[in-house]
Amino acid sequence: MNTNFGDIDDFSATLENIDDLDVYAILEKMKFGDRVERKIEKMNNLNIINIGKTGVGKSTIINAVFCRNLAKTGIGRPVTQHCQLYSIPDSPITIYDSKGLETGRDNTTILEEIYNRVKTQNSSENINDYIHICWYCVLDGGNRLDQNEVETIKKLRQIIPVIIVITQSVGGHRTNDFINEIKKNFDANFVNIIPIMALPKVEESDFGQMNIKSHGLDKLVKTSYELLPESVKKTFAAYQQSSIELKSKHAFRACTIYSGAVAAAAIQPLPIADTPIMIGIQIAMTVNITACFGLKPSNFNFKTILSGLGGPFAAAVVGRTLVSLLKLIPGIGTGAGIAINAATGATITFAIGSVYTKVLSSVVKNNGKIDEAEMIEALNEAVKNVDMGAMKKEWEKNKNSYSKSEAEQILLEVKKDID
Ligand SMILES: Nc1nc2c(ncn2[C@@H]2O[C@H](COP(=O)(O)OP(=O)(O)OP(=O)(O)O)[C@@H](O)[C@H]2O)c(=O)[nH]1
Ligand SMILES: [Mg+2]
C-alpha cells in the first residue's frame, strides 16, 4: 500500500457535492452511542491492588483518584478472607483491597495470603486476572513500616510495580524523616514513595487549627501511569480524575492517527466517493476521543458535534460544517471547484478532533456532565478560536508520529462499516 502522503487531489468531493452530501446514512450505520459503548468494552482491564492497615485511608485514595464514592458503600466482594474486590462503575477497572491488617498485631499470615493472591493471579492464563500495580499505603506519622511489610513489598516488587503511599500526610520535616526511615529498608533506586493527603484535613494542635490542603494525588496518578504497562495506560488515563492532561494525551494521539487514516484514504484509488469515508473516520475518531475521557454520553452524538462545529444550521446540512472549516484553511482558495486532498482532509479531521478534545477536557472538569445544547454551545465557542493554519502546521508536525499500519487499519474498518 502506498503510504506516501502527497498533495494529490484524489478526494473526489468538491465543495458542491460535499454540501449536498447525505451523511445521514453514515450516521445511521455508525451509531455514535453504541460505538462508544463498544470502545469502552474493548478497553483493556486494569487491576490495582491497594494494601494497608485498617483505617490508613485506602478507600479515601481510591475515591479521590477515581472521583467515586464506592469503597465505603460496602459493595466489595470477598476474594479471600483478607482481600476484597471493587469495580469502578462503568469502567474496566477493578480494585483489590486488603482487609484485616491491624496495627500492633502480627500480620505475617495475612500478608503472605495477599502476596500469594497476587502471585497466583499474575501467573494465570486469563489476562483479566493480572494485577498491574500495587499501592502500598502507610499512615504518615503512624508506626513505621513493619519488617513483614518490608519483606512483602520486596517480594511484590519482583512481580509488579509498587508505590508506597504515605497517607494523610501533613508534610514538613516529620514526613521527610518518616520517608527517609522507610527508604532505609530498600535499595537506593527505590524512589516510589509518595506522600499524599487525599482530602483536605483540619488538624487540631495545642496552638490552634491547621488546615491541610489535599495534595499528592496528581503525583500518585502520574507515577502510576508511568509504571503501568503500555497495554493499560489508556484505561488508567481515561478513568482517573486527577490529570486531564493524561486523558488529552491519548485523545491527541487519536486525532493524529485518525487524521492519518483520512490522508491514507485520499491516496487510494477508491471505487466509492471518499467523503463519506472521511466522515466515517471522523465519527470513529470522536468515538475514540470520548472513550479516552472515560465518558459514556447518552445525550449527544456525532450530529451534535458537527452542529456545534458548524453553527446552528449545520445539523440540517452536515456537509456545510466541513465546508465552513475547509474555507478556514489558508491557501485552499474559495469557490466550488476545491477538492479535498490528503493534506486538507487530514487537517479538517485533526481540527475537529482537537476542538472536541478541548471541549471534553472542560466537560470532565465539570463532573463529566453535559447536555446536548451545552455541548453545541461549548463547541461553537471553541471553534471560534480555531486557527486552521496552525492546525495544518500541527498536523504536518505530527503526521509521522504514529504507525502507518494503524491508520490503514482504521481506514479498512471504517470502509467495512459504511459499505
Ligand atoms: N481529611 C482526610 N481524611 C482522611 C484521609 N484519608 C483517610 N481519611 C479518614 O480516615 C478514616 C479512614 O479512612 P478510609 O479511607 O476508610 O481507610 P481504609 O484504609 O479504607 O480503612 P478500612 O477499609 O477500614 O481498612 C476516614 O474517616 C477518612 O475520612 C485524607 O486524605 N484526608
Ligand atoms: Mg476501606
Side-chain angles (χ1 to χ4, degrees), residues 58-59 71 86 97:
K58 299 181 293 297
S59 303
Y86 301 95
D97 193 18

Side-chain angles (χ1 to χ4, degrees), residues 123-268:
S123 46
S124 155
E125 304 239 308
N126 185 352
I127 193 162
N128 293 327
D129 286 343
Y130 197 90
I131 295 173
H132 298 94
I133 196 165
C134 168
W135 291 343
Y136 200 104
C137 300
V138 193
L139 183 68
D140 190 8
N143 11 58
R144 58 192 180 84
L145 209 52
D146 298 338
Q147 208 45 46
N148 53 13
E149 293 185 285
V150 171
E151 292 314 315
T152 306
I153 292 171
K154 283 184 176 167
K155 283 197 293 178
L156 281 170
R157 281 183 67 207
Q158 313 268 330
I159 319 178
I160 48 172
V162 179
I163 296 177
I164 297 179
V165 184
I166 311 294
T167 62
Q168 306 191 46
S169 173
V170 290
H173 70 88
R174 256 175 47 202
T175 299
N176 284 338
D177 291 350
F178 187 55
I179 290 175
N180 286 334
E181 219 30 61
I182 291 176
K183 273 188 182 163
K184 283 183 191 159
N185 295 294
F186 302 96
D187 55 80
N189 299 331
F190 186 59
V191 288
N192 301 323
I193 304 176
I194 301 177
I196 81 165
M197 178 65 84
L199 294 174
K201 190 173 190 178
V202 180
E203 285 248 298
E204 303 287 344
S205 84
D206 292 344
F207 309 104
Q209 284 184 340
M210 190 163 63
N211 293 314
I212 301 148
K213 290 185 187 147
S214 78
H215 62 86
L217 277 173
D218 201 44
K219 181 150 189 225
L220 174 63
V221 162
K222 286 195 171 137
T223 309
S224 301
Y225 179 84
E226 291 306 323
L227 294 171
L228 283 169
E230 263 337 291
S231 59
V232 291
K233 280 189 195 301
K234 187 172 170 180
T235 306
F236 184 64
Y239 293 98
Q240 57 75 34
Q241 304 298 345
S242 291
S243 166
I244 291 170
E245 191 192 323
L246 284 183
K247 296 172 190 288
S248 300
K249 181 176 154 171
H250 285 268
F252 180 79
R253 194 171 177 274
C255 292
T256 316
I257 296 177
Y258 283 78
S259 305
V262 167
I267 56 162
Q268 284 179 53

Side-chain angles (χ1 to χ4, degrees), residues 11-54:
F11 257 114
S12 51
T14 64
L15 278 187
E16 256 166 35
N17 60 26
I18 202 177
D19 213 10
D20 297 334
L21 190 73
D22 178 17
V23 290
Y24 292 102
I26 307 168
L27 295 177
E28 207 38 51
K29 276 182 188 160
M30 299 186 65
K31 285 208 162 51
F32 184 80
D34 296 354
R35 275 183 172 259
V36 175
E37 200 131 325
R38 262 187 287 143
K39 196 89 210 165
I40 288 172
E41 273 167 22
K42 275 207 288 195
M43 260 193 194
N44 292 333
N45 287 339
L46 164 64
N47 298 320
I48 298 173
I49 188 159
N50 201 11
I51 309 175
K53 288 178 183 151
T54 302

